Amino acid sequence: MVLAAGLAGMTAGCAFLYGLPYLLPRLRADGLSLTQAAALVACPTFGLLATLVVWGWLADRYGERRVIALGLGGAGVALLAAAAVSGPIALGACLVVGGAAAGSVNAASGRLVLGWFGAAERGLAMGIRQMAQPLGVAVAAVEVPVLSASDRAPALLFLAAACLVTAVLIAVVVRDPARVESGGAFEAGSPYRTPVLWRVHSAGALLVFPQFAVATFGLVFLVDAEGWDAASAGRLLAVAAFGGAAARLLAGWWSDRAGTRTGPMRVLAGVTGVIVALLAVGAAGVPGIAVTALVAAAVVSVSTNGLSFTAVAEYAGPGWAGRALGIHNTGQNAVAALTAPVLGAVVTHAGYPVAFAAAACAAVLAVAVVPSVHLPDRVAAR
């Protein structure tokens, strides 16, 4: 029940945080350029960056239930305000505040998994938890283009309602695990005394680049380059997002069986690089590749998030997990925030093939950065 409620809360938060790119056609119809609209949908991520470590510290100190419920409630209120304002500056400000509040679910819900599940089942449990991001994107892909067909307010009200309802659900259903101040790779002291966590953070951030390149520009690529209408493109990407949720689940199960989170993460990073490179080739005009590669990239590019989160939480241990996950999320969301405006400018001036090729290179670089971390003694760095 705790895992299900946490999944629901994170799905609502992710529908807002990572589903706003499906508002891009509406924003462009309102007169914004692609670069301007992409910067606007990245605003929640900029808010997220300012608060993730703080939310993680609060979860370490006061528990997950209150932190997640408070954050989701705050995000819902900010989205209500976003639906009521008119200008892009006011809208951007509301989205920044909402993102800052929604950061609580990213930092604290992973800590719930660490507390309630043992090492032999934690990868699968974190995979279930991490299904929330593609599920949230799938919900946004189906609903946001339709609700924003004539005005953006209905879509924002829908996202606000999702956050507010799940905030109440979390407050009622979730129970914090027993407080434990030791465990993980270190019984005491900072887990950052070795480079292992920094390498996991770096690899996770690199892998966000192709993930958000596809998530942010998949819809507009299908509309602009492939001639799809926004609703049909949204439905296709929603199906791909469900595939991404299944990929996260399978990746977590694989890591439990393999006794390592980073081994599968390295393999999946390489697969992501190959598929996104094929997407770049298809975008360059090679027939019969682009749409299939886009769907495959949307599935595979999200598969590693749960693995990196589990590796960070286990290596840091319960006493540091909230802060370490906050740092991990900060790096990932910094890249996510920059991906939309930077690649928006790249697409405008150089085209989709160059943008997708850059994303493929980031995935290939991540293969070299991922450390080897195994679980013979719970978590041991090699």
Side-chain angles (χ1 to χ4, degrees):
M1 183 65 76
V2 170
L3 185 58
L7 176 63
M10 192 169 177
T11 299
C14 288
F16 160 46
L17 290 169
Y18 308 122
L20 278 188
Y22 295 100
L23 201 61
L24 280 173
R26 177 73 259 155
L27 295 174
R28 295 180 72 192
D30 290 340
L32 297 178
S33 69
L34 178 60
T35 302
Q36 291 169 330
L40 196 58
V41 301
C43 282
T45 310
F46 287 112
L48 203 66
L49 292 174
T51 59
L52 279 168
V53 176
V54 174
W55 283 123
W57 177 81
L58 289 172
D60 285 337
R61 187 172 179 86
Y62 297 110
E64 294 82 359
R65 180 177 64 89
R66 285 177 287 182
V67 165
I68 298 172
L70 178 63
L72 282 173
V77 172
L79 281 165
L80 291 176
V85 301
S86 56
I89 294 177
L91 175 61
C94 291
L95 294 177
V96 168
V97 172
S104 68
V105 73
N106 286 41
S109 60
R111 203 178 185 288
L112 279 174
V113 172
L114 181 67
W116 281 113
F117 295 90
E121 57 187 2
R122 195 176 291 140
L124 179 59
M126 190 68 85
I128 294 172
R129 180 259 192 193
Q130 287 296 105
M131 287 171 61
Q133 195 268 347
L135 288 177
V137 170
V139 170
V142 171
E143 296 296 334
V144 170
V146 175
L147 293 174
S148 62
S150 59
D151 184 74
R152 66 174 183 256
L156 294 172
L157 290 173
F158 168 76
L159 296 172
C163 289
L164 291 170
V165 169
T166 53
V168 175
L169 177 67
I170 293 291
V172 172
V173 171
V174 168
R175 293 294 178 266
D176 293 331
R179 310 300 293 174
V180 179
E181 299 301 330
S182 62
F186 297 91
E187 291 299 321
S190 170
Y192 288 97
R193 292 180 294 179
T194 75
V196 171
L197 278 183
W198 293 117
R199 290 181 63 182
V200 178
H201 293 333
S202 299
L206 285 167
L207 288 168
V208 162
F209 189 35
Q211 176 186 335
F212 275 80
V214 172
T216 302
F217 295 100
L219 182 74
V220 291
F221 171 73
L222 289 173
V223 172
D224 291 348
E226 298 295 317
W228 290 52
D229 65 89
S232 297
R235 286 191 291 269
L236 177 67
L237 292 173
V239 172
F242 282 112
R248 289 190 174 190
L249 193 65
L250 290 172
W253 175 85
W254 178 13
S255 74
D256 285 338
R257 305 284 76 76
T260 172
R261 316 303 177 192
T262 56
M265 183 178 171
R266 185 181 297 107
V267 172
L268 291 169
V271 174
T272 298
V274 171
I275 292 175
V276 178
L278 288 174
L279 174 57
V281 171
V286 177
I289 296 180
V291 175
T292 301
L294 177 65
V295 172
V299 172
V300 177
S301 66
V302 303
S303 63
T304 58
N305 288 62
L307 300 176
S308 65
F309 269 70
T310 311
V312 168
E314 288 176 326
Y315 195 83
W320 271 83
R323 282 163 287 181
L325 287 171
I327 293 169
H328 189 72
N329 262 306
T330 299
Q332 287 190 313
N333 284 283
V335 174
L338 292 172
T339 297
V342 170
L343 284 190
V346 171
V347 169
T348 299
H349 298 290
Y352 286 105
V354 175
F356 291 138
C361 290
V364 172
L365 181 58
V367 174
V369 175
V370 176
S372 293
V373 180
H374 296 266
L375 299 170
D377 304 313
R378 288 194 36 118
V379 179
R382 186 177 72 182

